[in-house]
């Protein structure tokens, strides 16, 4: 890779890493302050805190792997196992908590069919059930990955290290991508189903509002559209994150430096951009972010912050 392209890609990776940490850090800090002040948190805020925390972890693990690949050529077997298992854990909770958030928005906003009226009053129980059910996927993923890793490592004899650029690491990368395909189908389908049900709910709602002059401006319509934006942004961000990995696995090509950079940039886009959408679609978080930017602007200009 040329020096110019390498500089551009490095700048993009660092910018996404900083943006992701700022976005997710703001979500955690703002909700924790509210928790301290009000002594309670809404279910959405609880999900957001854990989701943002898992994404901060995912960002740091991703950037750590990238730094490792840039600075050294070999990694020990134990280090490889730790990296793989930590990445699976953070990716699992980042994915499933986003699904839990999508389901919660669906239950809170959609208002059709008798089953929704039943579940509408039990959102916590359903979300807890979904997250507990996801642990079965996590356990199966970790067990299969552990067994397969041991088998692959034993194929290379007594070597205590793995070459980042060699055949062994390429096989391990393809293995991880294959596991992602297997264990991402169910949560991705749940998010897609939530989106389709929200679209159906909005369509039925608009039918009832045809004679209402407020039309698209009524609160329920706005709530539907905001929830749909959040779910669509998640689906797009995860697709952008997932697609280069999938193409690489299907093509069965060696992981060149360019491919690694593309996967790294798209991998950091998912936990960074979706969290930004969550902030923009949450009035409390949006107000806090604007306040922080305003204070930062005054500081950069050397002006005193006006008091209200």
């Amino acid at each position: 890779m040329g020096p110019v392209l390498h500089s551009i890609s490095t700048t993009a990776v660092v910018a996404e890493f900083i943006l992701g940490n700022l976005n997710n850090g703001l979500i955690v800090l703002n909700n924790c302050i509210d928790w301290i002040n009000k002594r309670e948190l809404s279910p959405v805020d609880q999900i957001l805190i854990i989701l943002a925390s898992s994404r901060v972890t995912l960002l740091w693990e991703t950037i750590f792997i990238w730094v490792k690949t840039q600075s050294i050529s070999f990694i020990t077997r134990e280090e490889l196992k730790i990296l793989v298992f930590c990445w699976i854990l953070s990716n699992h909770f980042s994915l499933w908590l986003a699904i839990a958030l999508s389901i919660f928005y669906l239950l809170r906003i959609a208002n059709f069919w008798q089953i929704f009226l039943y579940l509408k009053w039990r959102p916590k129980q359903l979300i807890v059930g979904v997250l507990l059910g996801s642990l079965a996927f996590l356990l199966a993923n970790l067990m299969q990955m552990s067994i397969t890793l041991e088998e692959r490592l034993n194929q290379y004899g007594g070597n205590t290290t793995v070459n980042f650029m060699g055949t062994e690491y390429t096989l391990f990368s393809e293995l991880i991508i294959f596991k992602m395909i297997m264990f991402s189908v169910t949560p991705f389908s749940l998010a897609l189903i939530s989106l389709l049900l929200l679209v159906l709910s909005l369509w039925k709602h608009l039918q009832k509002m045809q004679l209402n002059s407020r039309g698209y401006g009524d609160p329920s319509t706005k709530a539907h559209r905001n929830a749909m934006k959040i779910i669509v942004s998640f689906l797009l961000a995860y697709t952008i994150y997932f697609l280069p990995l999938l193409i690489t696995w299907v093509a069965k090509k060696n992981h060149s430096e360019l491919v690694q950079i593309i996967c790294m940039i798209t991998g950091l886009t998912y936990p960074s951009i979706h969290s930004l959408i969550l902030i923009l679609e949450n009035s409390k978080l949006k107000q806090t972010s604007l306040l922080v930017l305003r204070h930062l602007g005054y500081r950069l200009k050397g002006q005193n912050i006006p008091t209200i």
Side-chain angles (χ1 to χ4, degrees), residues 221-271:
T221 301
K222 290 182 179 179
H224 275 84
R225 295 172 67 184
N226 290 341
M228 289 166 59
K229 286 180 185 178
I230 291 174
I231 299 177
V232 168
S233 66
F234 162 73
L235 291 171
L236 289 177
Y238 197 75
T239 300
I240 293 172
Y241 166 57
F242 190 84
L243 194 58
L245 297 174
L246 179 60
I247 293 174
T248 303
W249 176 72
V250 172
K252 300 292 184 183
K253 293 181 179 179
N254 290 333
H255 292 207
S256 65
E257 186 179 1
L258 179 60
V259 172
Q260 289 182 1
I261 287 293
I262 293 175
C263 291
M264 182 62 59
I265 293 175
T266 56
L268 291 173
T269 299
Y270 159 57

Side-chain angles (χ1 to χ4, degrees), residues 107 112-122 126 197:
L107 294 177
F112 59 96
W113 298 339
Q114 194 65 30
I115 189 172
F116 275 89
L117 297 177
Y118 174 80
L119 295 174
K120 203 175 186 70
W121 299 102
R122 297 165 178 81
L126 181 62
L197 289 176

Side-chain angles (χ1 to χ4, degrees), residues 52-222:
S53 299
S54 67
R55 285 182 170 172
V56 169
T57 305
L58 182 62
L59 284 165
W60 279 93
E61 288 174 356
T62 305
I63 206 71
F64 177 76
I65 293 173
W66 181 68
V67 171
K68 277 275 190 180
T69 59
Q70 298 297 309
S71 58
I72 63 173
S73 298
F74 291 89
I75 184 173
T76 66
R77 291 186 174 198
E78 294 304 319
E79 287 177 335
L80 177 62
K81 291 179 182 179
I82 293 173
L83 283 176
V84 169
F85 289 137
C86 289
W87 184 85
I88 289 175
L89 284 171
S90 56
N91 185 73
H92 172 88
F93 287 109
S94 175
L95 174 60
W96 276 95
L97 286 165
I99 302 305
L101 189 64
S102 301
I103 294 174
F104 187 87
Y105 282 131
L106 172 65
L107 294 177
R108 189 174 68 174
I109 296 170
N111 194 16
F112 59 96
W113 298 339
Q114 194 65 30
I115 189 172
F116 275 89
L117 297 177
Y118 174 80
L119 295 174
K120 203 175 186 70
W121 299 102
R122 297 165 178 81
K124 288 185 179 180
Q125 292 88 331
L126 181 62
I127 297 304
V128 171
V130 169
L131 293 178
L132 289 177
S134 74
L135 294 180
F137 286 88
L138 176 61
L139 183 60
N141 195 0
L142 290 174
M143 290 178 62
Q144 288 192 17
M145 183 63 72
S146 177
I147 295 172
T148 311
L149 268 178
E150 286 295 335
E151 292 176 351
R152 290 291 178 91
L153 287 170
N154 291 333
Q155 291 177 3
Y156 298 99
N159 293 340
T160 58
T161 60
V162 175
N163 188 349
F164 260 121
M165 299 302 176
T167 306
E168 305 100 311
Y169 188 73
T170 300
L171 291 173
F172 293 140
S173 301
E174 291 176 355
L175 172 65
I176 294 173
I177 295 169
F178 176 69
K179 296 299 182 182
M180 281 185 61
I181 296 172
M182 288 179 57
F183 290 96
S184 297
V185 171
T186 298
F188 193 86
S189 300
L190 288 175
L192 191 58
I193 291 171
S194 298
L195 176 62
L196 295 176
L197 289 176
L198 274 173
V199 172
L200 179 59
S201 176
L202 177 60
W203 176 71
K204 292 176 71 69
H205 174 71
L206 291 177
Q207 282 187 322
K208 295 179 181 179
M209 296 293 295
Q210 282 181 350
L211 299 178
N212 193 317
S213 58
R214 290 181 299 173
Y216 286 90
D218 72 286
S220 181
T221 301
K222 290 182 179 179

